[in-house]
Structure formats: C-alpha cells, structure tokens
Amino acid sequence: MRTVLITGAGDLGGRGRIGIVLVGTLVRAWFGWSHQLWGLAPDQAAWDLALADVAHHGLPGFKHLIHYPHEGGSLPLSLIALLCMAIPGPVPPLSWAALLVDALVRYLQIGWAARLFGPRTGLVFGAWTVLAVPTMLPWATVNFGLHALMAFAPFAVAVMLKEGAGPFRTGLVIGGLASLAYDVWVLLPVCLAWWLMVDRGRSPRAWAALLAGAALAFLPHALVRLSVDLGFGSEQWAPLSVRGAERSELDPRDWPVRFVSIWADVIPGSFTMGPVTDPGVRAIAWCVLPVLLIGSAVSLMRSGRAAAVAGAFVLAFTGAMAVLPLFTIRADGTGIVHYRYVPFIMPLLALLVVDGVCRMGRWWKGAALAWLAGCAALSIVYMVRTPVAAHASDEATGWVLGRKYGERPGDLLRMMSLLDPDRRPDFLRGCGWGTAAALFDGRGPRDREAIERGRALLTAYPSEAQAEVWRGVERAFDPAVTPRLDPIVLDELRREGR
C-alpha cells in the first residue's frame, strides 16, 4: 500500500498524474508564450543575460550562476537554463527551466496530496492544478524569485510529520530546502510545536535533533554565502541578508492589521491579481474568502493531524508575511510582483479547501465541481485579459545588473556586447543607475571612500559609454526614485568625477 501511495496519487495512478501535469504544463506554456510574460521581468532578463555571458564567454565566476545570494535554488535553475540554451525559438532559457521545474513541483504535490488526505482529495486537487488560480500561472514561465517553484516544500514536510519521520531527518529536509529558498524556514516553528504536542516528555531532545539537522543541512549554503563572491559587493548587506529588506522596521502594533489585511485583501486578491481598491476585485475577494475559511475549517474538523499541520503551515507563512518587512502591503498593489509571495503557500491552502469540500458528505461532488469551476473561470478571465507584455526594459535590466556587478564594469560591458547596438544606451543608463543606488544607499557626503570608489568605477567605462552611464547616475539621485539618495553626494561626484 505504501508503495502505491509513493508512486501514484491514489486513484489517479502514475500515468493519470502525468497526464494532468502535462495538461497543466500546456496551459502554462501557451499562456507564457502567447503573452510573452517574461517581458514583465527585468530580473529574469538580467539573470538570462548573465547566463548568456557564461554560454558565450565561459564562466567568469560563481556569482553568474546564483541570481541573488539568498536564492540558492537559482543554481540548479541556472544549470538547467544553460542546457536549455540549445532550444531554438523566442522562449528564454530560464522560462524553459521554470516550466520543467513547475511541472515536477505539481507532480510531487499531487502525489503528496493523496498521501496526506487520501485518493479522493488527491484526484480533485490534481484537477485543480490544471488551471489553479491566477497567482500560480505566470511563474511557470516567469523566472525570478523562487516562491512558486518551492511550493512543494510545505507538502514534503507535512507528509514527513504525518508519516512519523524523525526530528533529525525532518530538520535535514527543512535546512536543505531553506538553502534553496528562505521561505522554508517558516515551517520550522510548526515542527517544534508538533513534537511538543506529539511527545511532551521527549520534546527537548526532539527539538535539539530538529535544529541540529536544519543547521547541518543549511551550513553549506551559509558557508558559500560567507566565503564566495556572489556579487552585490557595494551593497551594505548583512552576511545572510535578504536584499537588505530586513533593515526596514515595522511597528509591532501594525502586525495584527497587516495579518488581517493579508487574509482579507492579499490572499483573496491573488485570485484575480488585481488591486483590492477596485470594486470588482473587492467583490470577488469577499466571495472567495468565506470559501477559503469554510473549506479549511471542514478539513480541520474532519482530517485530523494532517489538516492541522497544513493549516499551521498556512498560518505560519501568513504570520511571517505580517511581521517581517520583506512584504509591503499596498491596497492598490496589482500583478505578479505584488502577489509574488502568495504562490509559496497557495497550493497548500487550496489543498485544505479541496479536502474540506471532499468531506462534505453527499454534497461533496457538487461542492468540488463548484470550487474547480470557480477557480478555472478566474484563471481563464485572467489569461484572456492579460495584455501581451512588451520587451523587458533594458534600463531596468541594467539597474539589476549594475547593483550586482557594478564593482566590475568589465563584466557589464561584456554582457552589453551581447545586446543589439540600439539597446545598449538604455542598458548603460541602467548600469549607472544601479551602481549608484548600490554604492550610495544609506551613505552621505562624508563617506569619502564610497565617493572615490564611485568615481573610479565611472571612469573605468570607455569614454563613449560614460555619458549614458552618467545619465543613469543622475537618475539614481532623482528624489522621485527609490532608494532615496543624498543629492549632496551627486554634487561631490560631479565635482570630482568630471
């Protein structure tokens, strides 16, 4: 019986699960290709250009394979993308990589859904994954940030807890997966609580084993971050920083308000990806929220510890979104960037709802059909209404790469050589903008070392490129852009650099 559950999703079987995954992959591939979704992502364009540099000029350094230092999972994606460069056509290599990994993630999720809640729930959840909800669809071809592609992690750990895996082994899995994406750390407190409830007498020993396993598995990633050049050398980041976002401060009195807003606005808003200030989006959100709560409540009442663990993971993640400054709640927020964190937990939340509707007695078929039809309709409307994306901004691409490689103008110039000549001025402006933002964010005119370093970097560009780079530097000091830089620093740069 155990072998059946490992290799197949209950009544689906291995072939049925593969068929569902392929249909979902075709939907996502069509959506990405027909709408050129990667055009929405300067981060992906920057990462793609760094990989193209590797393919054309060899590997200049390990930092070319890791997009952001905290995203260890970008290493395997980079390696897959390099293999995909042999595929002709307009689809970027990183989009091929995302499509392959997304398919694998859904395959695992469907099997684990059946192991957690049984074959009926696994079957309905599998059907749900085909069209899912709008917040899940773009990330199969838009590749930056690993929240969606790591959405299998809560499933994996929930199955381990249900099936009695030891705390050290569970810690190894959590630490290993956290080295791919830091989202996974939110599962750790729930696991600590699990062993406290399961075996009070041995919980301290279990906690020690869990934490030791997590630390041991995470250690290689931490050592790489501390010892290897991963770029962003001009940024004032802590050793294990997440883009420096943790330096922002939140008033603890705002935590409850943020938590309520995440549940009332962000999560139901992700079913349309629109701003909750829009009356239509708000109306749909208020229809979706009761369904989420009722479906989850039924599952929690009727599915025992499996549902309790899944529900605790959902609450832990939304609680982390509320108390950590990484996520900025905006009532007018819209699109994939604003809702990018939600895909990590959305499949598990959807699984709770699916399990709830599958346990509604004789009404389960109608309830399941209504849930699937409602989610599918929202996804279809979203895909139809999404405009074809324009080409990713070369200036924004240069900004991303300027922040990462700004200390090595030669790397930036080598990447620029891969662009068409008419795109290079915008790229150079972005490089100047990003380099200045990285160097002078939080620094003032008394930071003579930073100013002198900035002058050296600017003069390292060939004379024919310096005018565009300087335009980018001047834009970085525009009071309307973020981060806000001290304009006196620009005066000092002009005095010393021209």
Side-chain angles (χ1 to χ4, degrees):
M1 178 64 175
R2 181 175 175 79
T3 303
V4 171
L5 289 179
I6 290 174
T7 57
D11 289 345
L12 273 176
R15 290 184 179 179
R17 185 163 30 142
I18 290 173
I20 283 179
V21 169
L22 286 177
V23 173
T25 299
L26 289 174
V27 169
R28 288 156 175 77
W30 169 83
F31 181 42
W33 172 78
S34 64
H35 291 73
Q36 301 289 292
L37 292 180
W38 43 84
L40 299 170
D43 255 300
Q44 176 177 334
W47 187 3
D48 257 321
L49 191 56
L51 293 179
D53 185 29
V54 173
H56 284 81
H57 304 117
L59 182 62
F62 189 66
K63 60 188 173 185
H64 272 59
L65 302 178
I66 299 287
H67 185 42
Y68 277 99
H70 65 282
E71 294 179 340
S74 57
L75 173 59
L77 285 169
S78 290
L79 297 178
I80 296 171
L82 287 171
L83 294 175
C84 292
M85 285 190 173
I87 301 175
V91 179
L94 278 170
S95 292
W96 283 117
L99 198 64
L100 291 170
V101 174
D102 175 79
L104 175 61
V105 166
R106 284 180 285 116
Y107 181 83
L108 294 173
Q109 287 173 338
I110 296 167
W112 286 331
R115 287 169 66 170
L116 284 169
F117 296 112
R120 178 189 292 177
T121 296
L123 177 63
V124 177
F125 177 77
W128 176 84
T129 64
V130 172
L131 285 167
V133 290
T135 195
M136 300 305 304
L137 298 178
W139 300 105
T141 49
V142 176
N143 197 344
F144 72 93
L146 303 179
H147 310 289
L149 298 182
M150 286 300 297
F152 69 92
F155 286 70
V157 178
V159 168
M160 294 185 73
L161 295 183
K162 181 188 177 184
E163 298 185 353
F168 182 73
R169 181 182 166 200
T170 305
L172 286 174
V173 170
I174 290 175
L177 294 178
S179 69
L180 302 178
Y182 290 2
D183 308 59
V184 181
W185 282 124
V186 303
L187 310 180
L188 189 64
V190 178
C191 293
L192 293 172
W194 169 268
W195 271 289
L196 178 62
M197 294 184 293
V198 168
D199 193 345
R200 291 177 180 270
R202 297 178 57 194
S203 58
R205 186 181 303 175
W207 289 353
L210 177 73
L211 295 173
L216 182 63
F218 189 73
L219 182 60
H221 168 79
L223 291 176
V224 167
R225 284 206 64 176
L226 296 173
S227 60
V228 177
D229 177 16
L230 298 176
F232 299 98
S234 298
E235 302 278 4
Q236 301 179 77
W237 288 351
L240 295 178
S241 172
V242 181
R243 302 191 317 274
E246 68 284 346
R247 293 179 300 182
S248 303
E249 295 183 1
L250 285 177
D251 189 333
R253 292 173 294 183
D254 293 336
W255 291 350
V257 176
R258 284 170 57 87
F259 184 76
V260 171
S261 180
I262 286 167
W263 275 99
D265 298 334
V266 179
I267 288 182
S270 70
F271 280 65
T272 61
M273 300 269 276
V276 292
T277 50
D278 181 276
V281 173
R282 169 59 66 189
I284 292 173
W286 283 113
C287 292
V288 166
L289 184 58
V291 176
L292 298 179
L293 297 178
I294 293 170
S296 299
V298 173
S299 179
L300 289 167
M301 290 186 292
R302 299 184 179 178
S303 290
R305 284 182 170 178
V309 170
F313 284 165
V314 173
L315 287 175
F317 189 79
T318 53
M321 288 178 66
V323 304
L324 297 176
L326 305 176
F327 176 64
T328 301
I329 296 177
R330 291 178 49 193
D332 61 342
T334 184
I336 62 175
V337 174
H338 178 69
Y339 289 105
R340 67 188 180 278
Y341 292 97
V342 176
F344 178 79
I345 208 66
M346 178 56 72
L348 190 65
L349 175 58
L351 177 59
L352 273 175
V353 176
V354 165
D355 184 61
V357 301
C358 286
R359 297 181 188 280
M360 291 182 175
R362 58 177 180 163
W363 306 103
W364 81 268
K365 290 184 179 179
L369 183 61
W371 165 254
L372 293 175
C375 290
L378 291 171
S379 291
I380 291 170
V381 169
Y382 168 70
M383 288 190 288
V384 169
R385 289 185 174 179
T386 299
V388 176
H391 189 280
S393 165
D394 291 311
E395 187 175 39
T397 300
W399 182 89
V400 174
L401 292 172
R403 295 197 76 135
K404 182 173 182 177
Y405 299 95
E407 291 190 326
R408 299 289 299 272
D411 286 356
L412 294 171
L413 292 169
R414 193 176 59 247
M415 292 182 220
M416 183 190 71
S417 70
L418 300 174
L419 299 175
D420 293 334
D422 61 329
R423 297 173 57 186
R424 295 175 185 177
D426 284 349
F427 179 80
L428 284 171
R429 283 196 295 275
C431 291
W433 181 6
T435 301
L439 270 173
F440 302 116
D441 184 11
R443 292 186 171 110
R446 294 184 179 180
D447 293 300
R448 305 307 304 176
E449 182 179 348
I451 292 174
E452 291 172 7
R453 179 62 177 155
R455 178 188 181 188
L457 292 175
L458 291 171
T459 56
Y461 286 91
S463 57
E464 63 270 18
Q466 287 193 20
E468 295 296 343
V469 173
W470 261 102
R471 289 189 181 94
V473 171
E474 290 166 351
R475 179 165 184 181
F477 286 88
D478 188 320
V481 305
T482 302
R484 295 283 297 274
L485 306 182
D486 190 333
I488 300 177
V489 172
L490 178 60
D491 294 335
E492 294 295 318
L493 277 175
R494 282 172 172 157
R495 184 177 299 118
E496 298 185 26
R498 286 188 168 180

